[in-house]
Structure formats: structure tokens, C-alpha cells
Amino acid sequence: MINFLLLPILIPLITGVILIFFSKNIIAQRWISGISSLSTIAVSAILVQKIRQDGIQTMDVSSWDAPFGITLVSDMLSALLVLTTSIVACTTLIYSFRSIGQERERFYYYPCFNFLIVGVNGAFTTGDIFNLFVFFEVMLMASYALIVLGGTKIQLRESIKYLLVNIISSALFVITVAYLYSVVGTLNMAHISQRINEVDQPGIITVIAILFLVVFGLKGAVFPLSFWLPGSYNAPPIPVMALFGALLTKVGVYSIMRTYTLLFYHDTGYTSKILATLAILSIIFGLIGALAFADIKKIIIYNIIVAVGVILFGISVMTTDSLTGSVFYLIHDMLIKTTLFLLIGIIISITGTSKLQEISGLIKKYPGLAWTFFLSALSLAGIPPLSGFIGKLLIVKGGFEAGNYLGAAIVLISSLLILLSIMKIFINGFWGTPRSYEGEKKASVKTLMIAPIILIIISILLGVGAEAVYPYISQAAETLVKPEIYIDAVLKE
């Protein structure tokens, strides 16, 4: 029997290894990567449907049963995130074929790309807290290679900062896991949850919860731990930037979501207040950056921090509606951030610049690009009936239900300010007096538009077809609201 739980990790892993031997054959690398990426989408979709019908899927690696061996766990939340990751990876790959450049393709771009997906899918699937660290490191090692690939001055400068931040957070991660193990004596996340319930040391558990928040906050770019993100994400080429913006920070957010609903849900009064405060500050800080800059890359990058804040606010509220909204918004943001990064990549390839004051009148020659960007902007802001609306509405509803009126109001107001920051690009870049640009003849706009068009169609369907998607999202949130479902499935009680 095929274990679909393992395949979204195994397929890109094997692909990455095979591609190392085809480093000079670019055409072979593209074909192998493309087929692998489509296969990962297919098995991820089958896995989602299997969980919908049969419930949470688990796999005990080696012959040791949980909690003694390493367990892979795929509930609806992790399966949906793996499917979304696979879609993001496939569309970014299509975009890379005509944009990343042969020099980077020859220097192991596609193997590193696939190893990054191994780390992301593994982090979403593991049921072991130390194994989460291992998959984080796989993901980060691939990202270290991708961020410097090309060797431009800005890449080398920013990669040092990126490397230092992640080495420190990884060291802190190991220390925190060791501290947790010394208290509960297990690494299986379901078993940890049980043991925490039995340990009468709420003070120590709260300290560990805050340490995990610092670790995942650094990786997820939660304010004030987001200081490294605007510079580091501005350095690599657009496909890598899209991958980082859509996936890497979301793994950090997912880790907070998983640990705070599965491990640290017993006494949430103190930790939830801290999480809510940091979420609100992330939204405010992100909005200030997005509104202040006149660089199209920086505007989208700062909007990553806003989205992280919105999702974390939903987690901090801990109601059924807010958690459902956070899951919905997380999936939406992974798709729409990729779309926006790829679209600004096309703008930069045409104009040769990311400075907004040097761009105008693009709508005359590129109406398809303009209106795709416009729809993406509306979706990002959460304008109905697009995909961003449902998630944000549920988060705001959950905030009001829990009595956190200030946080819910800030999330609501953020929609207008997000729209204002993105519309700044649309109004100044697409309208106005048309100019002639050096990159117009070189840019393969029609080919590059394939990936963002696919993504915006998926995003529109996610919003318009919310009624069909909602049962899946609701099932994903149910595991967060009722952690005993996850625990029983893993420990088979």
C-alpha cells in the first residue's frame, strides 16, 4: 500500500538528489523538476482527500511505535499546507524557467529548490518536536544556498545577516527542545501534550512556551524579531523571493499555531496576551513599512509581516472562528504573496527597476499584467468575494467574540491600509504617462504571466467557492480546537 503521507517529502528529496547529477544539463533539470512538482501536487491532493474520508494519517518511522519512535502525522491542517506548498513550488518553478537565468540554473538551483520543499513539507508533517528542528535545518540549508546563488553584492551582504539570525535561532531551538525534554521526558508532540497536562509546574511550561515563541518568532518574522526580513528578502532573485515570502515565514507561523494549540493550551492566559500584543505590533509595524516605502519589492515584503500579525492574532484569540480564520488566511496568503512577488518580478524585468517613481504607464502595453495585479491587490486586502475576505472575517469575528475589540478593529482597519499600500503600486506604476523601458524587448511577459494567472485563478476560486472549501478548513481547525483528536490519532488510544 502506498503511504501518501511520506510521498510529498520523498518525491522532492529523490528529485533533488537526481538533479545533482544533471547540473550542466539545464533542459533535463527543468523537465525532471516539473514532473516531480506536478507529482507532488497530485499525491498531496490525494492525501487531503484521504484525510477527509478516513481521518488523521500517521506513520511510525522504523519499527518503533509512538511515542518512542519518530512519527509522521498528517492531519487536515498539515495536508492542506503541504498541498498549498506544492502549488506554490510548481508555479514558482514554471516562472523560474524563463527568469532565473542559466548561470544560476547550472549552479544547483533546482536541487536546492527541491531540498527547500523537502524541509517545508517535512516541517508541516512531522509529529516529533526534534524532527521539526531537523526539517527546519534542511529548509534553512537550502535557503542559504538560494539566497547567495548569483553572488551579487547585495546578496552576499544580506546573506551574512540572514545566516547569523538563523544560526542563533537554531541554537536557541535546540536548547529549548532540550529544556522541554528535561521536564516532560519525551519528544513526540502528542505525548508532550499529555505530559504537560500531568506536570504540575506551570511556571516552567510558560517559560518554555515563551522560548518557543522567540524561536518561531525569529523564523516567522514576528515583531520585533522581524528586523532581518526586509533586507534579507530583498536580496535574492524574484523566484527565490517568492518562495521565501510564501513559505519560510509561514513555517514559523505554523509552528506557533501547532505548539500553542497542541502543547501549551492548558494555561493560556499569560502567553495569549503576549502573542496578541506581538501580533498587533506586527500588523502596525508592517503597515508603516508598506506605506512608507516607494520600492515595489519592499512594499510586498512589509506586507508579509502584516499577514503574519493577522494570522497570529487569530491564534492568540483561540476561538473556533478565529482559528478557522487563521488557517484560511494562512493558505490564502501563501498563494497571494507568491502571485504578487511574481507580478512585481515581471514589472522589474520590463522596467529594470523596483523604484516606483521610475515606473508609470504600464497599463497601455500590458493590460493583462495590470488587471491581474489589481485582482491580487484586492484579494490581499480581503475585499469580498476574494479569498482574503473569508479568513479575515472569521478572525475579526473571533476577536469580537473573545472581547479583544482593539485587536479585531486593528485587523479590520489593516485591510484598508494594505489596499492603500498595494494600490500605490497600481496607480503610480500602471497609470500615468507611458515610458519606454530597456527591458521591454527582453522580457518574456506572456510566458512569465502563466504562473501568476494560475495562482490568481486558484485564489479567486478559493474565495468564490468558499462553501465547498470550508468543510476542509473547518476539519483542519477542529484539530487545533480539540487537540485530543490529534493525540488519540497519534498515540492510538
Side-chain angles (χ1 to χ4, degrees):
M1 181 182 174
I2 298 172
N3 199 322
F4 288 97
L5 173 65
L6 188 60
L7 289 178
I9 303 169
L10 203 57
I11 292 171
L13 176 62
I14 294 169
T15 305
V17 173
I18 291 170
L19 289 174
I20 291 171
F21 299 99
F22 290 90
S23 62
K24 304 306 175 191
N25 191 333
I26 293 170
I27 301 300
Q29 286 194 76
R30 290 176 180 176
W31 273 102
I32 293 167
S33 296
I35 293 165
S36 167
S37 195
L38 289 170
S39 303
T40 310
I41 292 175
V43 297
S44 302
I46 293 168
L47 179 61
V48 168
Q49 205 53 43
K50 192 170 176 59
I51 293 167
R52 179 71 183 147
Q53 293 170 355
D54 304 330
I56 296 172
Q57 303 292 301
T58 65
M59 178 183 175
D60 296 317
V61 181
S62 76
S63 57
W64 293 90
D65 293 333
F68 305 107
I70 294 171
T71 306
L72 297 177
V73 185
S74 196
D75 61 351
M76 186 57 80
L77 173 62
S78 67
L80 286 174
L81 293 178
V82 165
L83 176 59
T84 310
T85 297
S86 304
I87 292 168
V88 165
C90 186
T91 48
T92 309
L93 197 66
I94 292 167
Y95 187 92
S96 297
F97 294 158
R98 294 305 297 269
S99 68
I100 198 68
Q102 291 192 5
E103 284 303 310
R104 288 188 174 96
E105 286 178 306
R106 284 196 186 96
F107 281 92
Y108 305 100
Y109 171 72
Y110 295 112
C112 291
F113 185 105
N114 279 280
F115 291 139
L116 184 85
I117 303 306
V118 172
V120 174
N121 285 348
F124 288 146
T125 308
T126 185
D128 182 281
I129 195 75
F130 185 75
N131 220 29
L132 179 63
F133 165 76
V134 172
F135 280 117
F136 258 109
E137 290 309 296
V138 172
M139 176 184 79
L140 288 171
M141 281 190 284
S143 74
Y144 297 153
L146 289 170
I147 200 169
V148 296
L149 202 60
T152 62
K153 189 176 179 180
I154 185 175
Q155 283 179 288
L156 296 173
R157 186 183 71 236
E158 292 299 335
S159 64
I160 294 169
K161 187 200 305 178
Y162 180 77
L163 198 67
L164 283 172
V165 166
N166 281 292
I167 286 172
I168 292 165
S169 68
S170 295
L172 187 59
F173 195 169
V174 173
I175 293 165
T176 308
V177 169
Y179 193 10
L180 178 63
Y181 183 77
S182 71
V183 175
V184 297
T186 183
L187 294 171
N188 183 285
M189 288 197 277
H191 200 215
I192 290 170
S193 183
Q194 279 190 335
R195 288 288 180 86
I196 286 175
N197 205 23
E198 296 164 5
V199 172
D200 188 24
Q201 299 180 68
I204 290 175
I205 299 303
T206 301
V207 170
I208 293 169
I210 297 302
L211 284 172
F212 272 119
L213 181 57
V214 172
V215 170
F216 298 137
L218 265 169
K219 296 181 186 295
V222 179
F223 181 84
L225 305 170
S226 53
F227 62 90
W228 58 271
L229 183 133
S232 296
Y233 279 23
N234 191 42
I238 289 295
V240 176
M241 193 187 298
L243 267 188
F244 284 15
L247 302 180
L248 298 200
T249 51
K250 303 310 182 296
V251 176
V253 171
Y254 162 81
S255 300
I256 294 172
M257 183 183 283
R258 180 65 79 191
T259 53
Y260 271 65
T261 56
L262 180 62
L263 309 185
F264 307 119
Y265 67 93
H266 305 94
D267 182 20
T268 58
Y270 182 71
T271 51
S272 289
K273 284 179 185 175
I274 291 175
L275 191 57
T277 304
L278 294 178
I280 291 165
L281 288 172
S282 296
I283 294 169
I284 294 168
F285 174 73
L287 286 170
I288 291 169
L291 292 167
F293 278 95
D295 183 290
I296 59 176
K297 288 199 283 189
K298 288 284 180 71
I299 292 168
I300 308 300
I301 288 167
Y302 274 99
N303 269 297
I304 295 172
I305 301 169
V306 179
V308 166
V310 171
I311 297 162
L312 289 184
F313 177 75
I315 298 167
S316 72
V317 172
M318 287 281 188
T319 66
T320 303
D321 280 334
S322 72
L323 288 169
T324 306
S326 287
V327 174
F328 207 113
Y329 199 82
L330 178 57
I331 293 166
H332 144 80
D333 196 68
M334 289 168 75
L335 294 169
I336 212 66
K337 280 294 189 308
T338 312
T339 311
L340 283 165
F341 275 118
L342 299 185
L343 288 170
I344 64 167
I346 297 171
I347 295 170
I348 292 166
S349 69
I350 293 167
T351 62
T353 181
S354 61
K355 294 176 182 176
L356 202 50
Q357 61 267 32
E358 296 177 15
I359 307 168
S360 69
L362 287 173
I363 196 167
K364 186 175 181 182
K365 289 185 180 178
Y366 307 100
L369 173 62
W371 296 117
T372 305
F373 187 90
F374 180 73
L375 282 173
S376 303
L378 295 182
S379 185
L380 182 71
I383 305 300
L386 300 168
S387 60
F389 172 70
I390 310 296
K392 196 167 276 190
L393 179 68
L394 288 168
I395 291 169
V396 170
K397 185 183 174 188
F400 282 128
E401 284 174 358
N404 194 334
Y405 302 110
L406 175 63
I410 288 171
V411 171
L412 205 56
I413 293 165
S414 73
S415 294
L416 295 173
L417 296 177
I418 289 167
L419 187 61
L420 180 61
S421 72
I422 302 296
M423 279 300 166
K424 186 167 60 175
I425 299 174
F426 183 72
I427 293 165
N428 295 325
F430 288 100
W431 297 100
T433 308
R435 302 183 188 183
S436 57
Y437 301 103
E438 289 182 11
E440 284 182 287
K441 294 177 183 178
K442 297 178 185 176
S444 311
V445 176
K446 288 182 180 178
T447 311
L448 292 174
M449 279 296 294
I450 294 169
I453 285 172
I454 292 169
L455 286 166
I456 196 65
I457 289 169
I458 294 170
S459 180
I460 291 168
L461 291 174
L462 193 61
V464 175
E467 193 174 344
V469 176
Y470 188 80
Y472 293 87
I473 306 289
S474 180
Q475 187 177 338
E478 188 182 20
T479 316
L480 302 176
V481 177
K482 299 175 183 175
E484 59 272 13
I485 297 171
Y486 183 99
I487 294 165
D488 292 346
V490 174
L491 301 179
K492 299 175 177 63
E493 295 183 345

